[in-house]
């Protein structure tokens, strides 16, 4: 009876015309007699599925918690954005009309069909929670994977001390910097959030900046909405201003995905409800924000357009906008630039040209030459999944390693460093706290997890 009291119904979402492969557990479209949950749901021992309407019957695909190292140590993406192993002992073509009780911790999808073989329409998929219910004692907060609290405690203490020390002697701000989190089910994002919250308790951040690629961006629109929402809500839960730049995967175009997000869709998905104080033209995906306490104008750029022949880069409109924005920088303010993609092809493995990238750098350099009292502290970006400080221009261009646990060493620009990463060790984590002082060109980058601290 005590176990019964803990059980709560978990809401499922289904799509008509989809079934599960009996060989891989992957989604197969074009089957009018089926409907399937496209998300992965977590089950624990005792979780159960109860059929309410015997007009239907259901089958399951079960996915074990083991991870395939391919997705961490090579340039590869799991097509359903889930790091699990399909359990082929549980066949998605074994149908039930009673209850199914899980005997282990796992993920699952559920597939339904009518007993009379008739086609299933959208209204039936919309009412899946009236056809069957999923009950679980899923805890509200799962906490760290694998009970890693003790592993991270020393790093939390060390990072906290460094942040507080960097801030105590000067009026300064601490920015949490994340990039390329590439959220996947059964990844390590939940561990990352736990560590971030623990550091924030002891050395509070002033703002949060995510440099793009929240997810892999290669699945259906509705499910990717859900994954973006997970990352966004986790960061907003810190109750700090959050600023996003949009990465190439954030357009949901990857691997030829037909369900791409429009620019307007990207604005509402990534920028609405955050980016406090952003100044932009309409719903443009680039904007600026003045951090007055530290005399810094932060310029957040849009560096990818899958509709252009040269996808990586900046529009001509953005170049002109940057020129105008620099004209209005207040006296004594410094400039910090943020983007997902680097501005120059020599620090970008994937292309021989960055559209208008050289123009953007030249605009900033011209600004510095014409305004000796002003300076560009640096240009900070993600995308390369590696650390690098490029110093061959008038200001440093800084690449930050990826928050996703990944360490493939190829496909990197010359001079970039990719660190060894391993789940279950401190190196599974990689994120940075940037401390900027109001009266100095000095910037400290304090690293949590894999990699080293840096300084400009």
């Amino acid at each position: 009876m005590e176990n019964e009291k803990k059980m709560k119904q978990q809401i499922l979402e289904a799509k008509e015309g989809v079934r599960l492969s009996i060989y891989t557990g992957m989604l197969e479209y074009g089957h009018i007699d089926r409907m399937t949950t496209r998300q992965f749901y977590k089950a624990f021992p005792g979780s159960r599925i109860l059929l309410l309407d015997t007009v239907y019957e259901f089958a399951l695909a079960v996915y074990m918690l083991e991870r395939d190292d391919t997705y961490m140590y090579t340039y590869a993406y799991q097509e359903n954005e889930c790091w699990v192993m399909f359990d082929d002992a549980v066949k998605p073509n074994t149908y039930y009309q009673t209850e199914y009780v899980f005997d282990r911790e796992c993920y699952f999808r559920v597939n339904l069909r009518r007993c009379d073989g008739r086609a299933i329409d959208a209204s039936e998929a919309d009412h899946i929670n009236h056809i069957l219910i999923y009950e679980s004692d899923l805890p509200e907060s799962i906490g760290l994977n694998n009970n890693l609290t003790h592993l991270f405690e020393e790093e939390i203490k060390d990072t906290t001390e460094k942040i507080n020390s960097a801030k105590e002697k000067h009026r300064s701000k601490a920015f949490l910097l994340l990039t390329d989190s590439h959220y996947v089910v059964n990844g390590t994002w939940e561990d990352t959030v736990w560590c971030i919250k623990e550091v924030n308790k002891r050395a509070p951040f002033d703002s949060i900046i995510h440099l793009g690629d929240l997810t892999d961006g290669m699945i259906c629109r509705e499910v990717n909405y859900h994954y973006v929402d997970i990352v966004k809500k986790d960061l907003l839960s810190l109750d700090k201003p959050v600023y996003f730049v949009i990465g190439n995967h954030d357009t949901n175009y990857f691997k030829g995905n037909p369900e791409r997000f429009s620019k307007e869709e990207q604005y509402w998905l990534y920028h609405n409800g955050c980016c406090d104080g952003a100044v932009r033209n309409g719903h443009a995906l680039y904007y600026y924000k003045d951090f007055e306490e530290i005399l810094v104008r932060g310029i957040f750029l849009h560096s990818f357009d899958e509709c252009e022949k040269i996808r990586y880069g900046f529009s001509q409109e953005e170049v002109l906008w940057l020129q105008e924005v620099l004209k209005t920088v207040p006296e004594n303010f410094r400039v910090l630039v943020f983007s997902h993609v680097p501005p120059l092809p020599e620090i970008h493995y994937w292309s021989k040209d960055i559209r208008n990238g050289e123009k953007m750098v030249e605009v900033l350099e011209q600004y510095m030459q014409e305004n000796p009292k002003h300076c560009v502290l640096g240009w900070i970006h993600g995308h390369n999944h590696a650390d690098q400080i490029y110093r061959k221009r008038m200001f440093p261009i800084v690449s930050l390693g990826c928050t996703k646990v990944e360490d493939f060493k190829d496909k990197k620009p010359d001079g970039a460093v990719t660190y060894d990463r391993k789940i279950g060790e401190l190196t599974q984590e990689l994120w940075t706290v940037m401390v900027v002082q109001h009266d100095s060109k000095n910037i400290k980058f304090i690293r949590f997890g894999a990699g080293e601290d840096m300084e400009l």
Side-chain angles (χ1 to χ4, degrees):
M1 288 295 294
E2 184 64 28
N3 189 53
E4 291 287 333
K5 293 179 182 179
K6 293 181 181 179
M7 301 288 276
K8 295 181 180 179
Q9 181 177 357
Q10 310 294 328
I11 301 301
L12 305 176
E13 295 181 6
K15 177 69 175 177
E16 74 283 358
V18 187
R19 74 177 185 185
L20 295 164
S21 167
I22 63 173
Y23 303 107
T24 65
M26 296 302 176
L27 303 174
E28 296 181 340
Y29 289 82
H31 299 276
I32 63 173
D33 62 335
R34 311 294 170 88
M35 61 178 170
T36 295
T37 58
R38 294 183 292 179
Q39 290 186 39
F40 294 84
Y41 295 94
K42 189 72 174 286
F44 293 89
S47 299
R48 62 184 181 179
I49 295 175
L50 303 172
L51 186 68
L52 303 178
D53 188 341
T54 55
V55 168
Y56 303 87
E57 55 187 2
F58 70 92
L60 295 169
V62 172
Y63 310 87
M64 300 175 288
L65 303 184
E66 288 79 8
R67 302 175 175 106
D68 184 346
D69 286 352
T70 299
Y71 304 116
M72 288 175 272
Y73 303 120
T74 67
Y75 179 63
Y77 292 89
Q78 205 285 331
E79 62 184 281
N80 283 177
E81 300 187 16
C82 188
W83 284 2
V84 291
M85 295 285 190
F86 173 59
D87 184 357
D88 58 8
V90 182
K91 297 294 185 183
N93 61 347
T94 300
Y95 284 84
Y96 304 88
Q97 275 204 307
T98 55
E99 71 174 13
Y100 183 94
V101 180
F102 292 89
D103 60 1
R104 55 185 158 155
E105 185 177 347
C106 62
Y107 288 91
F108 73 91
R109 284 166 162 161
V110 60
N111 178 59
L112 293 96
R113 66 184 182 188
R114 295 177 62 96
C115 295
D116 61 12
R118 288 169 51 189
I120 290 178
D121 61 31
S123 65
E124 292 173 281
D126 289 343
H127 288 85
I128 184 174
N129 294 288
H130 299 287
I131 296 171
L132 57 74
I133 61 173
Y134 170 52
E135 293 183 334
S136 176
D137 59 351
L138 181 68
E140 292 183 5
S141 177
I142 298 174
L144 275 188
N145 293 342
N146 306 318
N147 297 316
L148 295 175
T149 306
H150 66 284
L151 177 65
F152 296 125
E153 187 57 41
E154 190 60 35
E155 184 76 351
I156 291 168
K157 179 181 177 182
D158 182 59
T159 302
T160 298
E161 291 175 352
K162 288 179 179 178
I163 296 170
N164 288 330
S165 176
K167 292 182 68 175
E168 67 181 357
K169 295 180 181 179
H170 304 274
R171 190 168 60 191
S172 57
K173 293 289 184 183
F175 298 81
L176 169 63
L177 293 182
L178 303 164
T179 187
D180 299 275
S181 50
H182 288 274
Y183 176 87
V184 293
V185 174
N186 201 40
T188 59
W189 173 250
E190 290 76 14
D191 297 352
T192 299
V193 173
W194 186 89
C195 292
I196 286 171
K197 289 183 175 180
E198 289 301 307
V199 171
N200 181 62
K201 289 177 185 177
R202 311 177 199 189
F205 312 125
D206 295 287
S207 295
I208 299 166
I209 297 171
H210 195 298
L211 295 172
D213 283 1
L214 278 68
T215 73
D216 288 346
M218 53 190 292
I219 54 176
C220 67
R221 172 176 274 98
E222 293 83 2
V223 177
N224 203 26
Y225 281 171
H226 175 64
Y227 293 168
V228 170
D229 195 50
I230 288 173
V231 177
K232 192 173 176 182
K233 282 184 175 178
D234 282 338
L235 295 180
L236 289 171
S237 72
L238 292 165
D239 199 26
K240 311 291 181 183
V242 180
Y243 301 90
F244 289 106
V245 298
I246 292 176
N248 55 307
H249 288 256
D250 294 326
T251 65
N252 208 37
Y253 90 107
F254 201 64
K255 295 290 186 181
N257 187 1
E259 299 192 31
R260 300 177 180 183
F261 297 154
S262 68
K263 289 184 175 62
E264 186 70 10
E265 202 170 1
Q266 292 172 50
Y267 169 80
W268 288 107
L269 184 60
Y270 298 104
H271 289 179
N272 188 44
C274 54
C275 304
D276 297 357
V279 180
R280 68 176 89 219
N281 295 333
H283 289 172
L285 299 176
Y286 45 87
Y287 58 95
Y288 74 85
K289 156 69 178 178
D290 285 340
F291 299 96
E292 296 178 358
E293 302 91 337
I294 53 172
L295 304 177
V296 166
R297 172 164 290 186
I299 298 177
F300 300 82
L301 300 176
H302 181 231
S303 57
F304 180 82
D305 189 338
E306 79 282 1
C307 298
E308 293 284 346
K309 183 177 180 180
I310 301 175
R311 296 173 298 168
Y312 298 108
F314 311 88
S315 68
Q316 183 61 29
E317 292 78 12
E318 192 170 2
V319 176
L320 297 175
W321 172 85
L322 178 61
Q323 290 175 325
E324 293 304 310
V325 164
L326 291 173
K327 291 177 182 178
T328 65
V329 176
E331 187 176 358
N332 298 324
F333 269 52
R334 289 82 45 78
V335 171
L336 259 176
V337 181
F338 303 94
S339 69
H340 180 68
V341 176
L344 302 173
E346 55 264 40
I347 47 176
H348 184 250
Y349 172 85
W350 297 103
S351 61
K352 295 180 180 179
D353 190 18
I354 301 290
R355 180 168 38 89
N356 291 321
E358 180 65 31
K359 286 185 179 180
M360 296 291 274
V361 172
E362 289 175 353
V363 166
L364 290 162
E365 290 180 329
Q366 183 178 358
Y367 164 75
M368 295 176 70
Q369 292 169 344
E370 295 177 352
N371 300 273
K373 292 183 179 180
H374 293 183
C375 77
V376 177
L377 293 175
W379 182 317
I380 303 168
H381 68 88
H383 184 66
N384 286 347
H385 294 207
D387 280 359
Q388 185 175 20
I389 301 179
Y390 185 79
R391 297 185 181 274
K392 295 183 179 181
R393 302 306 291 252
M394 290 180 65
F395 52 85
I397 303 174
V398 182
S399 172
L400 296 179
C402 61
T403 298
K404 172 187 178 183
V405 55
E406 175 185 87
D407 74 357
F408 65 88
K409 304 294 194 295
D410 60 338
K411 300 177 175 59
K412 300 292 189 292
D414 291 342
V417 178
T418 303
Y419 297 95
D420 293 338
R421 310 283 295 277
K422 188 173 181 180
I423 290 179
E425 296 184 2
L426 180 60
T427 57
Q428 80 168 42
E429 297 300 310
L430 192 163
W431 44 272
T432 305
V433 179
M434 177 182 71
V435 179
V436 183
Q437 300 168 358
H438 89 289
D439 59 353
S440 171
K441 295 181 181 180
N442 177 271
I443 299 178
K444 293 183 181 295
F445 296 91
I446 300 168
R447 175 60 52 82
F448 187 99
E452 305 293 337
D453 296 344
M454 299 185 291
E455 189 167 329
L456 299 181

